[in-house]
Structures are given as structure tokens and as C-alpha cells.
Amino acid sequence: MEALKNYDDDSDDSYSDDYKDNFQTKNCGERIKDDGLSIIKDSSRVYVQKLKHDFFNLQESDSDHEPETKSKIRKKENIEIIVSSGDTITVPEGCFWEPLPTEVKQSNDFDINQSIEKECYRELDFSHTYDQMSASDYRKSYKNKKLIKTDSNKINWNNSENSNTSSRRNNIKNFNEANEVDQKLNNDDKNCNIYSGKSDKPSIKLFDIHGKIKPWLQRQNLICKIPRECEKSWKAHTGSVSTLKWNVTKFSHLLLSVSMDTTVKIWNVWNRLEPCVRLLNIHSKGIQDGDWNNSGTHILTCSYDKSAVVTDIETGVSTVKCKHRNFVTCGKFHPVNENIFLTGSLDELTAWDTRQGDEPIHRYSYKDKIGQIQDVIFSIDGSEFFSTGDLVSRDSADRNIMAWDFDYAVVKSNQIYQERYSCTCLKMHPTEFNFLAQSHGNYIASFSASRPYKMCKSIRYEGHKLGGYKVGFDMSPDGRYIVSGDSEGKLYCYNYKSGHLIQTLHTQLDVNLNVAFHPLLPSTLACCGWNGFIELWH
């Protein structure tokens, strides 16, 4: 195609049929539509404009001879803007002030910041564009997020009565809220507040008296009953749950669970939205035992990473970390002095003081091997404690359960349990001066807590099976009932006075590893299983 050229000034009469034939035909001989060209006659000049669709930029035009369009001749007007302080600002007119679309388009790759700016509403940033606006006015305008409405040559910043504007703002608000919900649901621990010891102070208050607990605090002489039904069940851990412990009476809405998946969780079991209020990652290997201090603000955890850690659950900070030479399988706080705690390891027990750091204050050992300490309990006044080990041999029956003097670190008795079964769990009776032990002989035995620490041979709580697992048990707060776990996932309820089996409860757990009676609410208990589930019964 040949380029179009301007003709000479004296060639207005030369515009004839030959001229049309030259420019209406391509080199290939095809005809071009008549409306492809537009001829402009101006007294003594003839101008030939470009084709409407010049895809290859073949047309040539002389800018000196092109007639000026209306957009080039039109001058930009100024617009006055009234801000919230009452000042008037003059800005140049532009497409920035044109009416905005009323619908918000959402897509999979929707960028909130860009879409709000481009499609929904536009916020004025006068601090970068207009020097006339003060910084305080800009902060007010950004805080209020008022939308712009054009009205002839004036814009009222405070005018938000436009229905389209309000609908756009509602759409954006709803979209942002939905986005936040999606982000919460995509979190791995969506119902948990995670604290590893280096995070800020949690925002959730743990130590407010729960409405479920408050009506029972002033009541005395509570009569407990056997639970009848499962209130709720949930997947608590990915590994087996080793121990369950309720907090002290005042804050007994909190439940501690430790697991072999190396995590520690604090549960508010009556909170439907976020039952897990703390998730602590303070150990590198599985956790075997955990305990609350007397005030209910700190927990002690014992792990297979050869350490025992005291953690403040309100801040998530580990206050004391005690290293051991072997696995730490049990631990208890002192019943009188909450700064002192006791841990059990291989052939050794160690007493620690949180005020002295990671240096032990006492070491308790025997002349012979006593095996891995399975459990330890203090007497009521804390002057002595009892321990049980897992060593089973022909001459080890005299070291299954041992009584120790706490202050002098000497053995008071090692002839308490003469049978050749190891014991997995020890519990002090809440009202009487004796303690109970869970034996691998598939029964629970009762012992006197004072010298000579005789076993009661007339009463034995049997019917459940351990099957080689470390199965625990617990007693009701009034001491009337004993509830034990089972290797088949059942709950066995016994009468303390007679030793008779009252009822057997069937749970959804594969192996019922531990049971914890609520310290205040009657007929309420929690149990945990090998499959990582926790069940609440009442």
C-alpha cells in the first residue's frame, strides 16, 4: 500500500475521479471501502486523513497540516475540594474524579489492597501530591476512609450519603472479614495459641474464674457420683496422650495434656470456639508426665529428651530447665512449697528449686538398682514421698515401692510391696491417710501412708486389664469412688470402701491410658487414649 501524501496548495481542482481511483485500490487490485478515507476541504487546501484502521502504521501525516481536535483545544478546569477541617483545595480536573463502578469484582487471585484502590473506592493521598493539605488533615481523612463524590466543580469529602458508595464499602468490609476467616482456617493449629517461650504475652485471659466453676466454689461436702455419658470427645494430639491433669480448684476449667508428639496443650474444655488455649513446644522428644503447681500458673513437664521444664503458661516462657543424665519419666511439685519439685529418672530421684536455677538441691539413690522411676507422690505435709520403679527380677520385689524422707534423702522403707509386679501409678487418698498403687497384676492395691506402710490385703480393686501399658487411675474428690483405665478402652468404676465393681463405661478410645476426676464438679472426669483422643464424661 502506498502512503498518503499531502498535495500542493494549488491542487484543489486536481481532486477528481483519478485521485479516488488511485487511493481506493490496493496494489493487488482489491477495492477499499469508500468510507475508508475521509476528505476534508478547507478553502484552498485538501487534506486526506489516515485510514480508520492502520494496523501497520503505513500512513504518513504532517502534524503541521493536521487539524487540531477538540481534546487538544480544550483546557483543563480546576476543581475545589472541601476537606473535613473546612479548608478548600484547588486541584486539576481529571479522570480521577469520574464516577466509580458500583460492583466489586472478585477473582481467585484477588489482591485486596489493589482492588480496593482500583475498583471499589479511592483514598486521597494529599501528602505526596498536594502541598496545601496538612499532615493532620491527611491522617483524619485516611482514618475516616470517606469516599469521594463529584458534584459539578466541588467535591465534598464528608459526603457519604450515596447509596452506591455505602454498598461498595459494605462489600469490601464483608470481603475482608471473609478473607480473615479463611486465613484462620488454613492455619495448621487453627484453634490454638502457639507459644514456644519467645513470643509476646498472650491476649487470651486464662485465669478468670469460669462461669461453670464459680457456682461450685462456695459449696461444701460435695457428693460425687459415677458419670453416665460422654459429654464431648475430640482429637487432641497426633500421638498418644500420656497424662491428664486438671488445674487447681479455682482455675479448674483448665486441663493439661502432654503427649508423645512432643507437644503440651492447655484446654478450656467448655469453650466451644477455641478449646485449646495454649500449645507449647518446649521439648524435642516425647513427654511422659506433667503437673500443675499450687497456684495453678506454672506447669512441670518431664520428657524423654532428658530434661524437666517449668513453664509459665500465661507468658509461654520456660523459667527453669533441668538437665538429667537419663530419661525423665515423672515429676511432682511439692505440696507446701511450690518452688520445689521432684523428678524421677533411671535409678535416681532429684529435687530442684526454681530459685536456684538448674542445680539440684537433693539427689536420692539406693545402694542397688531400682530401675526407671514410673511415678512419685508426696505425703500431705511433704515431709516424705513414695516412688515406684519398673525393675522386675527375682530379687527386686523389695524395691517396687519405696518410702523416702524428703529432707534427709534416706530410704524409710523398701518392703512395702512384696509381689513381683511393677506398679505404674501412685495416688494419695483425698480424705484418708493412705495411698493406692496400680499394679501390672491387673488390680489396684491400697497401702497405709504411715509406718510400717502395710498393704491392705482384704480389699483389692480388680477387673480391668493393663496389657503391658502404663495405665493410670484416679479417685473422686470425696474419696468414694475409684475409676481406672483399661487396655481395651473402658472405664472401670469401683467403690472405695467395699472394692466392688460398680459400673463399666465404654469409650471410643483404643487404650484408655489415664483418668482425671474434676476437683470440684461432681461426676465429671476426663480420660485420654493411645489414639490421641480426649473424652469428657459427666
Side-chain angles (χ1 to χ4, degrees), residues 85-219:
S85 60
D87 299 333
T88 302
I89 300 174
T90 303
V91 297
E93 185 186 14
C95 60
F96 186 83
W97 319 112
E98 292 179 358
L100 301 174
T102 58
E103 297 181 359
V104 181
K105 298 181 181 180
Q106 302 179 6
S107 61
N108 294 332
D109 299 328
F110 188 81
D111 188 347
I112 298 176
N113 296 329
Q114 294 182 359
S115 63
I116 290 176
E117 180 180 359
K118 294 181 180 180
E119 298 183 17
C120 302
Y121 63 89
R122 298 170 181 172
E123 298 174 356
L124 291 178
D125 190 355
F126 291 105
S127 61
H128 298 285
T129 308
Y130 308 108
D131 297 332
Q132 293 88 345
M133 188 174 187
S134 62
S136 61
D137 293 336
Y138 170 71
R139 285 193 296 268
K140 290 180 181 179
S141 62
Y142 185 80
K143 183 178 180 180
N144 295 331
K145 291 187 178 180
K146 301 296 183 179
L147 301 181
I148 301 171
K149 179 184 176 183
T150 57
D151 185 10
S152 65
N153 289 336
K154 291 187 178 182
I155 298 176
N156 190 353
W157 181 268
N158 295 319
N159 191 354
S160 61
E161 297 177 356
N162 192 356
S163 60
N164 294 333
T165 298
S166 60
S167 64
R168 290 195 295 271
R169 296 179 66 182
N170 293 333
N171 290 337
I172 289 301
K173 183 179 179 181
N174 296 335
F175 182 79
N176 291 339
E177 293 176 354
N179 234 1
E180 292 176 358
V181 172
D182 292 340
Q183 291 177 359
K184 291 181 179 179
L185 294 177
N186 291 333
N187 193 0
D188 293 338
D189 296 296
K190 58 185 177 181
N191 290 331
C192 298
N193 296 308
I194 302 175
Y195 297 99
S196 59
K198 297 182 180 180
S199 57
D200 296 335
K201 187 175 180 179
S203 59
I204 298 178
K205 295 182 180 180
L206 294 179
F207 302 112
D208 291 340
I209 300 178
H210 197 273
K212 185 96 174 171
I213 306 300
K214 190 174 183 180
W216 297 88
L217 289 175
Q218 304 300 328
R219 299 188 183 184

Side-chain angles (χ1 to χ4, degrees), residues 417 419 441-446 455-462 494 498-500:
Y417 186 56
E419 299 186 21
N442 297 329
Y443 63 87
I444 299 174
S446 178
M455 184 178 72
C456 182
K457 297 182 180 180
S458 61
I459 298 177
R460 180 177 288 185
Y461 311 94
E462 58 184 347
Y494 301 96
S498 63
H500 296 311

Side-chain angles (χ1 to χ4, degrees), residues 27-92:
N27 293 336
C28 60
E30 295 180 0
R31 297 287 297 179
I32 300 177
K33 294 181 180 180
D34 294 340
D35 56 355
L37 298 174
S38 58
I39 310 302
I40 300 176
K41 294 183 180 181
D42 184 11
S43 65
S44 61
R45 286 181 174 270
V46 176
Y47 299 99
V48 181
Q49 292 185 349
K50 293 182 180 180
L51 292 172
K52 288 186 177 180
H53 304 288
D54 186 13
F55 296 100
F56 302 102
N57 294 327
L58 298 178
Q59 294 287 355
E60 295 180 1
S61 61
D62 190 358
S63 60
D64 297 334
H65 301 290
E66 284 184 3
E68 294 184 349
T69 60
K70 184 177 180 180
S71 60
K72 293 184 178 180
I73 300 173
R74 184 173 175 270
K75 295 182 179 180
K76 293 185 178 180
E77 298 180 357
N78 294 330
I79 298 177
E80 296 179 357
I81 297 178
I82 302 175
V83 296
S84 58
S85 60
D87 299 333
T88 302
I89 300 174
T90 303
V91 297

Side-chain angles (χ1 to χ4, degrees), residues 265-301:
K265 291 186 179 181
I266 309 296
W267 303 90
N268 183 352
V269 295
W270 291 287
N271 189 344
R272 296 183 179 180
L273 297 178
E274 294 183 0
C276 180
V277 294
R278 291 290 183 274
L279 188 148
L280 303 172
N281 295 303
I282 52 182
H283 291 283
S284 59
K285 293 185 179 180
I287 307 170
Q288 184 61 41
D289 198 10
D291 191 28
W292 295 91
N293 67 343
N294 298 336
S295 60
T297 58
H298 293 70
I299 59 172
L300 169 66
T301 53

